[in-house]
């Protein structure tokens, strides 16, 4: 528990800014209980109105929690949810936000990811997000290249850039933790991207292992990896071309993450990386609904906004 203490302090005090007159619900499951207990310990030192609500792990990401869990979330001022399966895209989370709760979900969190990703100054990460947003917000086209062979251009159109700062101080706000990214669902995309960092189901790729994707007019037309190709094809049987949608371009801003560890949740936030996702973008400003959202992390990217290279935050900025 002592090893988790510092990360729990950051989450409860800095990211959620829990106050003594507020209620706090820690929502966890049987596999994430130590993290839930660490968060509860800190919350209980701040307010007398803190509870832990634990349930068996959900079957899939996005599965609704049991009704008593959803009720606890909707009735709290602050919710922290370290769970095996994500609650981010559930009615329970949406209804808690609509009721005014400040919510942080920690989907698939491990103790190693918790301590690494939250051993950070989130006010500084928020500043890095602002600095990246200033450089990309007005650009019509973003281009990304990497030494591994990525060369892809994104048309932003009327889509809005969003940021996940980890600072959840206003009623109704929500964030993932660990946090630290600026992202957009582009209207169009064309080119090639090569994942050489982390991507499900492989986790952290080995040195020299690369996953190549070709994109035409916003749809992925070629996938080099058999397992990912099958995952997308299976989803396409349900939703057609929506499964091949180029869903997201994200830029990591968490400068405390100095090494990729194989967790998409953490690695996509690493400062100096870019991630590109396939599938669903309805929750991030797009119009495509699909049963998959597959993020791949790219190392050593150069990002151009209307032809001008932008400055990416790295560990040296910590």
């Amino acid at each position: 528990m002592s090893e988790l203490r510092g990360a729990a302090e950051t989450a409860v005090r800095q990211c959620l800014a829990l106050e003594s007159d507020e209620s706090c619900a820690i929502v966890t499951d049987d596999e994430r209980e130590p993290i839930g207990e660490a968060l509860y310990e800190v919350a209980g030192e701040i307010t007398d109105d803190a509870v832990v609500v634990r349930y068996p792990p959900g079957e899939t990401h996005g599965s609704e929690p049991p009704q008593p869990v959803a009720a606890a979330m909707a009735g709290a001022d602050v919710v922290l949810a370290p769970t095996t399966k994500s609650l981010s895209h559930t009615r329970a989370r949406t209804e808690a936000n609509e009721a005014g709760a400040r919510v942080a979900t920690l989907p698939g969190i491990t103790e190693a990811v918790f301590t690494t990703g939250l051993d950070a100054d989130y006010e500084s990460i928020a500043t890095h997000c602002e600095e990246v947003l200033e450089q990309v917000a007005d650009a019509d086209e973003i281009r990304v290249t990497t030494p591994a062979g990525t060369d892809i251009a994104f048309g932003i159109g009327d889509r809005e850039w969003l940021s996940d700062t980890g600072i959840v101080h206003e009623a109704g706000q929500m964030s993932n933790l660990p946090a630290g990214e600026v992202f957009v669902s582009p209207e169009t995309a064309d080119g090639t991207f090569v994942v050489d960092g982390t991507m499900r189901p492989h986790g952290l790729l080995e040195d020299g292992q690369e996953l190549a994707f070709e994109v035409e007019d916003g749809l992925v037309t070629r996938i080099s990896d058999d397992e990912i190709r099958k995952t997308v094809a299976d989803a396409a049987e349900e939703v057609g071309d929506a499964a091949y949608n180029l869903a997201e371009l994200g830029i990591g801003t968490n400068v405390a993450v100095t090494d990729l560890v194989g967790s998409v949740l953490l690695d996509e936030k690493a400062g100096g990386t870019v991630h590109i996702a396939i599938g669903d973008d309805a929750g991030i400003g797009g119009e495509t609904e699909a049963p998959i959202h597959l993020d791949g992390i790219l190392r050593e990217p150069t990002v151009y906004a209307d032809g001008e290279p932008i400055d990416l935050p790295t560990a040296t900025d910590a």
Side-chain angles (χ1 to χ4, degrees), residues 123-240:
E123 295 291 351
S124 175
I125 289 171
T127 298
H128 291 311
C129 287
E130 292 173 6
E131 291 170 347
V132 171
L133 275 175
E134 288 176 1
Q135 298 177 81
V136 299
D138 295 327
D140 295 319
E141 181 185 87
I142 302 294
R143 180 185 173 206
V144 178
T145 64
T146 69
T150 296
D151 192 345
I152 185 169
F154 303 89
I156 305 305
D158 294 328
R159 301 285 172 81
E160 181 182 359
W161 284 89
L162 304 172
S163 61
D164 184 16
T165 66
I167 300 297
V168 193
H169 292 179
E170 301 296 328
Q173 285 187 329
M174 178 265 183
S175 177
N176 272 154
L177 290 178
E181 66 170 295
V182 171
F183 58 98
V184 69
S185 174
E187 287 192 355
T188 64
D190 291 276
T192 299
F193 69 97
V194 180
V195 176
D196 57 352
T198 299
M199 190 168 189
R200 296 190 186 100
H202 302 290
L204 183 64
L205 302 184
E206 298 177 359
D207 289 344
Q209 185 181 7
E210 297 173 347
L211 313 174
F213 303 79
E214 293 182 6
V215 184
E216 295 179 14
D217 195 25
L219 294 177
V220 175
T221 58
R222 188 181 77 86
I223 301 172
S224 68
D225 181 78
D226 292 341
E227 289 186 73
I228 296 174
R229 188 188 313 118
K230 183 179 186 304
T231 297
V232 178
D234 288 347
E237 292 183 2
E238 178 181 343
V239 296

